[in-house]
Amino acid sequence: MTTKQMALLKYLILAFTGVIAIWQILSGNYPFGTGLLAGIIIAGTGLGIRSRQINKMVDRGMNPYDERVWTIAGKASYASIRVFAIISAIIVLTGSIWGPETLVNPYNLLGICLALLMLLYVVFYYYYNHRM
Amino acid sequence: MENRLKELRENLSMTQEELAARAGVSRQTIISLEKGKYNPSITLAYKLSQIFGLSIEELFMLKEGGENI
């Protein structure tokens, strides 16, 4: 996938999420809808700035996604999944022994897991980017 | 891994950006290579040695005592 195709895909995902946000606002779910819309605006602005930087690099003959970036991404992914597995295992073990039985919305749980995994990835990416 | 990248680049009055463009990598990669923080792939090492007209061994040297791979 080329850089332009990747950027286009990101914009399409943002547009799709934007439609959901507007639909939620129109349905009367204002907090969720406006929160989502604010997130989309922030993400869209960040994406626009980054795309412009990447396009400038490509125009000057450089490769923004070179081997170093993939090396860092690989290390960050491996570290994230290991830490995530350890945290999950500790929660499952301790929770099944001492924890109370609670009802959890599966979508919320999936969202929390996804957010934790993304957070770990971002932290490890910046760590390895600083080290390499 | 040690290298003579900075010295050779400066001898040719080349900027990090120019070298990055010629090697097809980002400027950050050249900075990391010059600081010895990143070990390049064999392909990148070959490209860089071609740019400077040297062999890979003349451009990259393994540190005394070696290092873990």
Side-chain angles (χ1 to χ4, degrees), chain B residues 29-43:
Chain B
T29 299
I30 300 297
I31 294 169
S32 295
L33 283 168
E34 285 186 355
K35 284 183 180 172
K37 283 180 164 184
Y38 175 65
N39 291 333
S41 68
I42 193 75
T43 315

Side-chain angles (χ1 to χ4, degrees), chain A residues 7 9-25 30-49:
Chain A
L9 185 69
K10 284 175 189 171
Y11 281 120
L12 281 174
I13 293 168
L14 276 181
F16 177 69
T17 320
V19 170
I20 293 173
I22 292 164
W23 168 53
Q24 285 299 300
I25 292 168
Y30 298 112
F32 181 71
T34 47
L36 201 59
L37 206 58
I40 291 162
I41 291 166
I42 293 166
T45 311
L47 191 64
I49 294 166

Side-chain angles (χ1 to χ4, degrees), chain A residues 57 60-64 66-68 71 129-132, chain B residues 17 21 24-29 32 37-38 40-41 44:
Chain A
M57 280 179 78
R60 281 181 282 176
M62 284 185 273
N63 179 11
D66 62 1
E67 58 173 55
R68 182 177 162 275
T71 306
N129 191 35
H130 180 72
R131 274 192 60 185
M132 288 178 81
Chain B
E17 201 173 306
V25 293
S26 65
R27 189 172 150 258
Q28 188 57 47
T29 299
S32 295
K37 283 180 164 184
Y38 175 65
S41 68
L44 180 57

Side-chain angles (χ1 to χ4, degrees), chain A residues 41-123:
Chain A
I41 291 166
I42 293 166
T45 311
L47 191 64
I49 294 166
R50 185 72 188 133
S51 293
R52 216 168 300 140
Q53 286 173 339
I54 286 169
N55 288 341
K56 272 184 190 171
M57 280 179 78
V58 172
D59 290 344
R60 281 181 282 176
M62 284 185 273
N63 179 11
Y65 298 108
D66 62 1
E67 58 173 55
R68 182 177 162 275
V69 168
W70 291 113
T71 306
I72 294 169
K75 284 188 175 206
S77 305
Y78 181 64
S80 307
I81 204 72
R82 275 185 71 171
V83 172
F84 183 76
I86 291 166
I87 293 171
S88 304
I90 290 168
I91 292 171
V92 168
L93 278 172
T94 53
S96 59
I97 298 167
W98 296 293
E101 284 187 17
T102 51
L103 285 172
V104 181
N105 181 336
Y107 305 109
N108 287 348
L109 181 65
L110 195 61
I112 292 164
C113 290
L114 191 63
L116 177 66
L117 196 57
M118 287 305 292
L119 180 71
L120 285 170
Y121 179 77
V122 169
V123 168

